[in-house]
Amino acid sequence: MPISPQDFWCSSPILILCGFGTLLLIVDARCGKGPRDLLPIAGLSLFGLLAAGAAVLLLWGEFGSGGVAPVECFTPMGGMGAAIRCDGYVLVFDAVFLLAAGLTCLISLGYLERMDLRFGEFFALILFATAGMMLMASAMDLVVALLSLEVMSIALYILCGLARTDLRSNESALKYFIIGAFSSAVLVYGIALVYGATGSTALPDIARAASRIDFARGDLLLVGSALIVTALCFKIAAVPFHGWAPDAYEGAPTPVTAFMSTGVKAAAFAMFARIALSLFASYTIPATEVLWLIAMLTMIGGNLAAVVQTNVKRMLAYSSIAHAGYLLVGLVAAVDRRQTDGSVTVGTPDIAFYLIAYTLMTMGAFAVVVWFGRRRREYLLIEDFAGIGFRHPFIAIAFSIFLLSLAGIPPTAGFMAKFGLFRSAVATGHTDLAVIGVLTSVISVYYYLRLVVLMYMRETETGITPTYSPATTLAIVVSGYGVLHLGLFPGSLWRLAEIGAQTLAW
Amino acid sequence: MEDFLRQNIVLVSTLAKAIVVPIAIMNVVPFMVLLERRGSAFIQDRRGPERASIFGIRMFGLWHTIADAMKFITKEKVVPAGAHPVFFYMAPALLLIPAIGAFAGVPFAADVTIAGETIPLQVARLDAGILYAFGVASLGVLGIALAGWASNNKFSLLGSLRSASQMLSYEVSMGLTIMGVLLIYQSLRPEVIVQAQAGPIWKWGIFVQPVGAVLFLVVGFAEANRLPFDLPEGDSELVAGYHTEYSGMKFAIFFMSEYMSMVTISAMVTTLFLGGWQIPFVTTERLHGWFGTDVAGQALTALCQVTSFAAKVGSLLWLFVWVRWTQARFRFDQLMKLGWRTMLPLALLNLIVTAAVMLVIWKDDPRFGLGFTG
Amino acid sequence: MSPLAQYFPIAVLVLFAIVVAVFLIGLDHFLGPRQPNPTKLEPYECGILGVGTARQRFKVGFYIVALLFLLFDVETVFLYTWVVLFMPLGLIGFVEVALFLFVLAVGLYYAWRKGALEWE
């Protein structure tokens, strides 16, 4: 099957981002390092993200709103499967990635100026990483999945170490790099074993071949699947593969941390769901049990560790681990109801919806953390936030909304999202997971509300006057609005997520 | 014995080629040294070495190189105290082996047919002979890097680092410059490329790819570590560069390898750009017409072609000598600048312009596809 | 004939080269006098007493060259396949390689402007 113009049209969001990333590198190479030189680069990157967003919308519109017909792209010659595909699931996730990237660009503009990190490459790398995430969501072949994962990860390794003179940033980049390389190696090994067992790297072929393998004798496939799941668990920072996350999140520049905990997580879950649903589609492997265990550990471990944190970034890092646990609950539900064609109706829409809500609220929370700083200085201790409710009431309200949403308290997006996940868990008979989820959410209320309490209940004399950045404020407003909107009127987006998830089958 | 030869002519000829060719290249080295000494004397308007004589026969100074060899063998063996006990010995070997091996893909005459068997006059006929040659030739940098590191001498280390970065820098351009020729001749096989240059002289690579030829020649000088690119040695800065601590036969191996890699590069330039063994306007068929196609005729044909090949290689070797004694050495920053900022963009440009031109020329060719329809 | 059989002469050649190398180094090892003394075995530093070892950290520029080499040479390898299949791949192949080379050129331009090619 020859490469057709349709292939390029269907992958246009990725191509647009790559093109703009390359353009940004050229522009950056021509720009100086003056105080306002970042502005055109940031503007261009936002324009690129908007263009990609427009392409996503057009694609969604073209395939019809009722059910987005999947299109297989870049099918090589010689009877191999398609490299990527464009369907509703991909487009929904593309929107999540673009949202995360856009908000990151907004909050980083002021941050980079303030912290003397005037690297135009930052925006180019964000775009490349986003392109990698989109590829991850649309990869139909394990090799493409690996490559896209690397495209995303390599950009992020550099972003983590952006603050070159900061020891913590270096530590973060190095830890992330080593663990990332390690988990990629595990993934490659898993892919090799799965290829050995099934004779293909294309997901539909793997599922078909796996159905002919007896579980008791399919040890090659079993080990391969286990390795792939392990590698992906590293990427989503699930307990017990989470050790790198707090240090990497804490040391990285704050906008990068925000991007890592939203975009990367969304991309890893998009890929995880697709691979898991294909890998286990018709194979009698005890996948649900394994994922059940990881989900439970992640929820409990992440929330308990977050309680004792005194650094906001670290606290949010552990909170993002905990949220990975909630998302895994949805994955357990989905894998439990897996069909032989890789389709599923339970769980995946909840994961998609949760990731949209989670992106908004986490981005918002990080935006407040970014906002709350001065030249070459960040205030990351929980104590630093004491009393800002009196001095900056609007920011404090926004931060409270984000934190309440993260804790899952109505009427915020976090509540609706969590509700959806736990409903799926109960519907598929995993009431125990739902109970653990609710209980750990109660624990999380403690550490989220502690910040709110500090903001409003304690007054301090020494007030910090943050450097004003309009872009960061805009990001806070946008995410605040999004969190409230999704909490009050979740219906339309919920419907989109469901339509998207319906197109998972190949 | 004769029957055995007749029956196993392919095997015997293969073995013979694999042994005779490297010996021949190694024997070019003394003559090359002589050429260098006499050539430099000629350029500098002095007499050069000519005094050594055996029974009054001076042989234009050839005895000097033989005396050199005797001296190398009988020199004292000095291994510096801090040198690595294994790598110090391994390094010269690692340089010599690729220098001998890289020549294997180069054809030096048209195929001959003896007793019904076609015998290619090239050591190995490979699917991707050009890639093999460049791959093996680039291995030489390992020996140099190892020599510098194993010596535990700062001059050596600096020399080997310089050498490594110089060779790496120019290798990128080398890969890209030959791409234009490969594109025009549509092959990675040296024998096919040479065959495509048969007949009139303007079919030679140097006329269809002039920019590529010049770039490749410059890169070749850099890869051979020859002046004006001899920074790895840079005797006024680094004593003798990576082989400062080497003496005796081990030094001689470095010395030989340098000359052998010059021969290899000249052979590659000849193959890619100067028509290889082709005699201008005189194709193999015409030679066969003159000499006949029996064994003697074929031998005469091959002899003519080998002579043509040797003449071309010899001229290029003389160019090496000529440049060495007339040009000054680059500074290191100039070298890197030339490699990355001039050679690489030019090579890229050359490739894309060549491709665009060929696209226009070939657009009506039946072999020309429009896309991935397979 | 298996594809590997064409490498038989290469194997002979390399074997021969190894024999020559070992023979020459062995010749050097066993012939010739040997009278070592501590001064003779010192690293040669033009007669000045050496300070410290030579195996220490060196200029970071060499690493940058190595990285650039890795990038550009690996990308060159992809072009070899295109070059020999230029005709069947046709216009689409040309356009794709042109894009590829464009990205390569952008990388070179970027490295250039950022001073990775400076050497002082």
Side-chain angles (χ1 to χ4, degrees):
Chain A
M1 192 170 153
I3 288 178
S4 65
Q6 168 121 18
D7 291 357
F8 291 100
W9 165 233
C10 287
S11 52
S12 58
I14 302 169
L15 297 178
I16 288 173
L17 286 184
C18 289
F20 267 94
T22 316
L23 186 67
L24 280 176
L25 281 183
I26 303 178
V27 173
D28 172 55
R30 294 212 69 85
C31 273
K33 286 264 173 264
R36 298 187 70 79
D37 279 343
L38 269 186
L39 214 55
I41 298 175
L44 201 59
S45 66
L46 277 174
F47 183 70
L49 290 169
L50 282 177
V56 168
L57 277 181
L58 280 175
L59 279 169
W60 182 275
E62 183 170 298
F63 295 148
S65 51
V68 181
V71 180
E72 311 256 299
C73 301
F74 297 111
T75 313
M77 293 177 282
M80 286 156 74
I84 62 172
R85 77 179 209 164
C86 181
D87 55 23
Y89 180 77
V90 172
L91 292 177
V92 169
F93 272 103
D94 281 0
V96 179
F97 306 144
L98 288 172
L99 184 69
L103 289 174
T104 308
C105 285
L106 279 181
I107 62 174
S108 53
L109 183 57
Y111 181 86
L112 296 179
E113 287 282 351
R114 206 179 78 210
M115 305 300 279
D116 281 337
L117 295 172
R118 292 198 190 87
F119 297 109
E121 293 94 338
F122 179 92
F123 296 100
L125 287 169
I126 291 276
L127 291 202
F128 286 133
T130 314
M133 290 168 183
M134 289 180 165
L135 263 178
M136 278 169 78
S138 48
M140 281 303 280
D141 191 289
L142 286 178
V143 176
V144 179
L146 170 76
L147 284 178
S148 51
L149 185 72
E150 289 304 301
V151 169
M152 180 195 77
S153 303
I154 289 173
L156 280 164
Y157 302 147
I158 307 169
L159 285 173
C160 281
L162 203 68
R164 279 193 308 203
T165 48
D166 182 8
L167 276 180
R168 281 174 175 268
S169 180
N170 284 332
E171 180 198 348
S172 152
L174 206 60
K175 275 191 178 161
Y176 192 35
F177 172 65
I178 289 171
I179 293 293
F182 175 69
S183 63
S184 294
V186 171
L187 183 64
V188 178
Y189 197 45
I191 291 173
L193 289 183
V194 168
Y195 177 71
T198 62
S200 175
T201 53
L203 292 178
D205 295 346
I206 288 175
R208 270 192 290 277
S211 66
R212 292 193 293 272
I213 296 174
D214 179 20
F215 166 58
R217 301 180 61 194
D219 37 4
L220 205 57
L221 185 59
L222 187 68
V223 176
S225 312
L227 288 175
I228 289 180
V229 168
T230 308
L232 291 171
C233 283
F234 266 115
K235 285 289 165 196
I236 61 170
V239 179
F241 310 107
H242 68 293
W244 59 276
D247 290 338
Y249 282 24
E250 188 192 354
T254 314
V256 179
T257 312
F259 191 52
M260 277 164 74
S261 58
T262 55
V264 176
K265 195 144 289 188
F269 260 101
M271 191 166 118
F272 200 169
R274 206 191 267 283
I275 289 183
L277 287 173
S278 307
L279 209 54
F280 307 138
S282 46
Y283 188 45
T284 50
I285 210 168
T288 322
E289 287 76 0
V290 173
L291 290 175
W292 186 94
L293 190 68
I294 297 174
M296 185 198 73
L297 284 176
T298 309
M299 282 190 288
I300 295 175
N303 279 312
L304 285 183
V307 169
V308 294
Q309 302 305 322
T310 54
N311 181 310
V312 178
K313 251 165 121 179
R314 242 182 133 73
M315 191 267 280
L316 284 171
Y318 276 108
S319 123
S320 93
I321 294 173
H323 284 276
Y326 302 136
L327 284 159
L328 277 169
V329 172
L331 197 62
V332 170
V335 170
D336 193 65
R337 289 295 158 89
R338 61 188 186 252
Q339 307 284 319
T340 44
D341 60 351
S343 71
V344 75
T345 47
V346 192
T348 39
D350 307 310
I351 292 178
F353 185 85
Y354 194 96
L355 279 168
I356 298 170
Y358 172 72
T359 300
L360 282 169
M361 57 208 193
T362 308
M363 269 294 171
F366 274 111
V368 173
V369 175
V370 167
W371 174 87
F372 192 58
R374 281 191 308 190
R375 187 167 164 71
R376 285 183 162 273
R377 181 88 169 84
E378 280 191 283
Y379 299 95
L380 296 174
L381 290 182
I382 288 175
E383 297 294 319
D384 291 334
F385 284 82
I388 64 166
F390 302 100
R391 276 173 281 118
H392 306 286
F394 290 109
I395 295 293
I397 287 173
F399 201 20
S400 309
I401 290 172
F402 299 135
L403 290 171
L404 290 176
S405 178
L406 282 166
I409 292 168
T412 54
F415 170 73
M416 293 311 298
K418 237 174 227 176
F419 174 74
L421 280 178
F422 295 154
R423 188 185 53 187
S424 303
V426 173
T428 52
H430 293 286
T431 318
D432 40 3
L433 268 189
V435 170
I436 295 171
V438 171
L439 286 180
T440 49
S441 296
V442 172
I443 301 177
S444 76
V445 171
Y446 166 72
Y447 59 83
Y448 289 128
L449 282 192
R450 189 171 51 171
L451 263 175
V452 179
V453 168
L454 266 176
M455 282 196 293
Y456 286 107
M457 303 287 174
R458 200 196 301 169
E459 224 170 329
T460 50
E461 291 87 43
T462 52
I464 297 156
T465 318
T467 313
Y468 178 68
S469 161
T472 311
T473 317
L474 179 64
I476 294 174
V477 170
V478 169
S479 0
Y481 170 76
V483 167
L484 284 181
H485 183 93
L486 284 188
L488 293 171
F489 315 104
S492 55
L493 210 73
W494 202 281
R495 176 91 192 107
L496 289 189
E498 270 182 349
I499 294 173
Q502 273 164 12
T503 59
L504 258 177
W506 50 74
Chain B
M1 183 66 193
E2 203 162 294
D3 285 347
F4 176 79
L5 277 179
R6 206 179 296 280
Q7 279 155 14
N8 296 295
I9 188 137
V10 175
L11 180 69
V12 171
S13 67
T14 303
L15 287 176
K17 281 183 293 180
I19 305 295
V20 170
V21 169
I23 290 176
I25 302 170
M26 281 159 75
N27 279 305
V28 172
V29 174
F31 290 99
M32 193 56 206
V33 174
L34 180 72
L35 182 72
E36 183 113 69
R37 287 178 177 163
R38 299 288 293 186
S40 63
F42 170 68
I43 286 168
Q44 294 169 347
D45 200 12
R46 56 185 172 81
R47 301 192 64 142
E50 54 168 12
R51 307 302 269 182
S53 66
I54 296 178
F55 306 124
I57 304 166
R58 285 180 175 169
M59 278 297 282
F60 320 107
L62 187 61
W63 302 137
H64 283 264
T65 48
I66 291 170
D68 278 344
M70 300 308 290
K71 205 169 175 194
F72 278 137
I73 294 170
T74 51
K75 270 282 179 190
E76 178 176 354
K77 178 196 125 185
V78 181
V79 180
H84 193 283
V86 179
F87 294 157
F88 191 75
Y89 287 93
M90 250 172 79
L94 271 181
L95 195 58
L96 185 69
I97 293 166
I100 293 178
F103 198 83
V106 178
F108 40 86
D111 297 354
V112 292
T113 311
I114 298 171
E117 293 279 0
T118 304
I119 296 163
L121 284 186
Q122 106 197 68
V123 176
R125 178 155 283 184
L126 305 172
D127 290 336
I130 299 281
L131 274 186
Y132 165 82
F134 287 109
V136 174
S138 64
L139 287 179
V141 71
L142 289 179
I144 293 183
L146 198 62
W149 188 82
S151 299
N152 190 30
N153 180 315
K154 284 155 201 156
F155 294 120
S156 303
L157 185 73
L158 264 179
S160 71
L161 282 175
R162 278 183 175 193
S163 167
S165 43
Q166 169 183 334
M167 289 174 95
L168 296 189
S169 300
Y170 281 80
E171 210 157 285
V172 178
S173 311
M174 183 177 242
L176 282 169
T177 43
I178 59 161
M179 215 101 49
V181 194
L182 301 181
L183 195 143
I184 288 173
Y185 298 128
Q186 285 282 294
S187 179
L188 285 172
R189 290 172 164 272
E191 67 273 12
V192 175
I193 291 172
V194 171
Q195 196 55 54
Q197 303 179 55
I201 195 167
W202 51 82
K203 287 177 102 177
W204 283 8
I206 192 165
F207 294 107
V208 293
Q209 273 283 299
V211 181
V214 172
L215 288 177
F216 186 75
L217 202 61
V218 174
V219 173
F221 273 80
E223 287 286 305
N225 289 333
R226 277 292 285 203
L227 257 153
F229 298 103
D230 73 333
L231 286 106
E233 289 170 47
D235 23 7
S236 55
E237 305 153 29
L238 294 177
V239 186
Y242 58 89
H243 54 55
T244 301
E245 292 291 356
Y246 282 90
S247 58
M249 205 60 214
K250 291 196 287 296
F251 167 75
I253 291 177
F254 283 119
F255 194 69
M256 278 166 63
S257 304
E258 191 186 316
Y259 281 98
M260 279 158 67
S261 65
M262 270 159 60
V263 174
T264 306
I265 283 166
S266 301
M268 285 193 215
V269 175
T270 306
T271 304
L272 290 172
F273 296 103
L274 298 179
W277 43 260
Q278 299 282 359
I279 306 168
F281 302 104
V282 184
T283 57
T284 314
E285 288 73 33
R286 188 172 292 185
L287 282 172
H288 280 161
W290 291 344
F291 302 127
T293 47
D294 55 340
V295 174
Q298 296 223 15
L300 264 178
T301 307
L303 192 67
C304 286
Q305 286 166 343
V306 170
T307 312
S308 159
F309 180 75
K312 288 170 188 172
V313 172
S315 319
L316 285 169
L317 287 176
W318 166 248
L319 185 68
F320 271 99
V321 173
W322 190 9
V323 168
R324 171 167 179 185
W325 296 101
T326 45
Q327 297 300 315
R329 181 188 303 134
F330 281 119
R331 271 198 333 260
F332 196 71
D333 61 323
Q334 293 170 329
L335 173 103
M336 299 307 271
K337 210 182 225 171
L338 180 72
W340 288 102
R341 299 189 183 182
T342 311
M343 305 298 287
L344 185 54
L346 271 180
L348 278 173
L349 202 66
N350 180 46
L351 174 61
I352 204 74
V353 168
T354 308
V357 170
M358 294 323 278
L359 206 63
V360 174
I361 292 177
W362 281 339
K363 69 176 184 302
D364 299 323
D365 194 295
R367 286 170 296 167
F368 190 73
L370 275 177
F372 297 83
T373 46
Chain C
M1 199 163 83
S2 91
L4 266 182
Q6 58 183 329
Y7 285 93
F8 170 69
I10 305 280
V12 177
L13 186 72
V14 169
L15 202 68
F16 177 75
I18 291 173
V19 168
V20 168
V22 169
F23 171 73
L24 287 179
I25 293 172
L27 209 65
D28 177 63
H29 192 80
F30 293 110
L31 293 178
R34 208 179 308 177
Q35 287 118 11
N37 65 55
T39 318
K40 197 186 271 179
L41 294 185
E42 266 178 30
Y44 177 75
E45 300 214 356
C46 305
I48 299 164
L49 284 178
V51 178
T53 169
R55 288 166 195 156
Q56 45 186 311
R57 302 199 292 176
F58 44 81
K59 192 175 160 71
V60 72
F62 290 114
Y63 293 94
I64 293 177
V65 170
L67 280 177
L68 286 174
F69 165 73
L70 212 61
L71 282 175
F72 284 96
D73 214 42
V74 167
E75 296 186 80
T76 308
V77 169
F78 291 121
L79 290 176
Y80 277 106
T81 48
W82 165 68
V83 155
V84 286
L85 290 174
F86 180 78
M87 281 230 211
L89 293 183
L91 193 62
I92 288 183
F94 174 75
V95 170
E96 288 206 352
V97 168
L99 273 174
F100 182 72
L101 284 181
F102 172 72
V103 175
L104 203 66
V106 169
L108 183 66
Y109 174 78
Y110 176 78
W112 191 331
R113 292 286 304 194
K114 288 283 166 176
L117 309 181
E118 302 282 341
W119 195 279
E120 73 282 342

